Amino acid sequence: MKVLLCGDMDAAELARWRQALAAALPEAIWLDRAAARADAGAVQAAVVANPPPGSLQGLPNLRLIQSLWAGVDRLLADATLPAGVPIARMVDPVMSAAMAETVLWAVLSLHRDFFAYARQQLRGLWRTHDQRRADELRVLVLGQGEMGRAAAARLAALGYRVTGWRRDGTPLSGLLPRADIVINLLPLTPATRGLLDARFFAALPAGASVVNLGRGAHVVDDDLLAALDRGHLRHAVLDVFHTEPLPAGHPFWAHPRVTVLPHAAAATDPRSAAAVAAANLRAAHDGRPIAHAVDRQRAY
């Protein structure tokens, strides 16, 4: 089996992935883009991480496109993506656990006012805040895929009042007024782009907080800043942005009620993800169903 490996990675990261994938699937021959173009008819699968547009053209016997990232919005935006070839997104239990850990950190920090205490430290201010119980906070988790379910389960185990939402479920408008903290783990699709806008924030109760771990394009930045500035929202934890790295001088960097993470909530771990990819590559080679297939119409 000849497999193309390519993506938006530096040489060292690409080498780490090649080593992990070769260990998980030693029977495969791993090709870079130049080698794949020279032997295009023999390439049966592609393992990719947001490859440059056009990278998957001219591979007539391609049976599977396996993404190394959980999100496939950038991949699907490639107009040259071969039609009819199955695409699988990365669903790795290790990455889901890491995301759940970040969600726990964010919710605990918001619940116990740890972000406020950090601001007080900068001012040399010693002042305690009232301590609420976990069962007094209502947490709304947007997205009920593997990551959303893992995060919701961990939060519920600590006693938080957790509600999960998916696009085909209960109307969101009825849930927002009852959410103290919103965790966004939705995939980016045409239907979810710009979902967190002025109307969304206005529907939340005063003093609510938002944690965006999905995609930057889910949030209308100016609307979020306005809601924070007028005091309607208490805090925002942001891991993803419209432009990454977040440009110098962006208002989020210096805003006292915004915590910025450098897209670090849950990294894909080659040690575990390579095994997930290898299982799908073997399934495609043998003609068996693949796991975590992407519906191109739904964009996830």
Side-chain angles (χ1 to χ4, degrees):
M1 183 193 321
K2 293 189 176 181
V3 184
L4 165 64
L5 172 62
C6 67
D8 183 14
M9 297 181 280
D10 61 29
E13 187 177 9
L14 194 61
R16 285 195 297 272
W17 275 107
R18 184 183 294 274
Q19 182 179 14
L21 288 163
L25 194 69
E27 64 268 33
I29 299 172
W30 297 92
L31 307 176
D32 60 19
R33 279 185 288 170
R37 283 194 295 268
D39 197 10
V43 178
Q44 295 178 311
V47 176
V48 301
N50 291 335
S55 298
L56 303 179
Q57 281 185 302
L59 304 174
N61 295 311
L62 200 62
R63 298 182 186 178
L64 173 67
I65 302 168
Q66 171 68 56
S67 175
L68 293 176
W69 301 161
V72 292
D73 46 286
R74 283 179 56 185
L75 181 62
L76 293 177
D78 182 357
T80 71
L81 201 65
V85 177
I87 302 169
R89 59 191 178 87
M90 177 53 64
V91 177
D92 177 7
V94 173
M95 184 164 56
S96 296
M99 184 64 80
E101 290 165 359
T102 298
V103 169
L104 285 179
W105 161 80
V107 170
L108 282 165
S109 297
L110 292 165
H111 164 202
R112 295 291 302 276
D113 290 319
F114 294 148
F115 295 127
Y117 288 134
R119 291 195 299 271
Q120 288 179 197
Q121 179 180 348
L122 295 176
R123 299 163 53 198
L125 179 61
W126 183 281
R127 182 168 70 86
T128 60
H129 297 244
D130 292 339
Q131 184 172 308
R132 296 168 292 174
R133 301 194 317 244
D135 63 5
E136 294 177 306
L137 268 78
R138 303 161 297 179
V139 182
L140 175 61
V141 179
L142 306 182
Q144 287 298 285
E146 296 287 335
M147 290 185 182
R149 293 197 302 271
R154 294 286 290 273
L155 290 168
L158 287 183
Y160 292 102
R161 295 161 57 189
V162 183
T163 301
W165 180 81
R166 56 190 306 159
R167 282 197 304 131
D168 55 0
T170 304
L172 186 56
S173 59
L175 300 176
L176 293 178
R178 302 194 299 271
D180 298 306
I181 301 173
V182 177
I183 311 291
N184 179 43
L185 288 167
L186 288 166
L188 182 62
T189 70
T192 64
R193 184 178 294 272
L195 178 68
L196 279 65
D197 61 3
R199 180 180 298 183
F200 180 102
F201 301 133
L204 293 170
S209 297
V210 171
V211 179
N212 186 27
L213 307 176
R215 284 290 183 267
H218 284 130
V219 174
V220 179
D221 289 358
D222 288 344
D223 291 354
L224 175 57
L225 288 165
L228 289 164
D229 288 342
R230 71 172 183 270
H232 182 70
L233 291 185
R234 181 163 158 260
H235 201 89
V237 178
L238 307 176
D239 182 56
V240 286
F241 306 92
H242 288 266
T243 300
E244 296 183 2
L246 184 65
H250 192 288
F252 286 153
W253 280 118
H255 200 289
R257 295 187 179 275
V258 174
T259 297
V260 170
L261 302 177
H263 204 143
T268 306
D269 189 330
R271 294 169 296 180
S272 54
V276 175
N280 255 356
L281 290 167
R282 289 192 178 104
H285 182 266
D286 297 341
R288 294 181 282 111
I290 62 171
H292 315 301
V294 172
D295 183 331
R296 294 196 189 207
Q297 295 301 314
R298 300 180 72 177
Y300 64 90

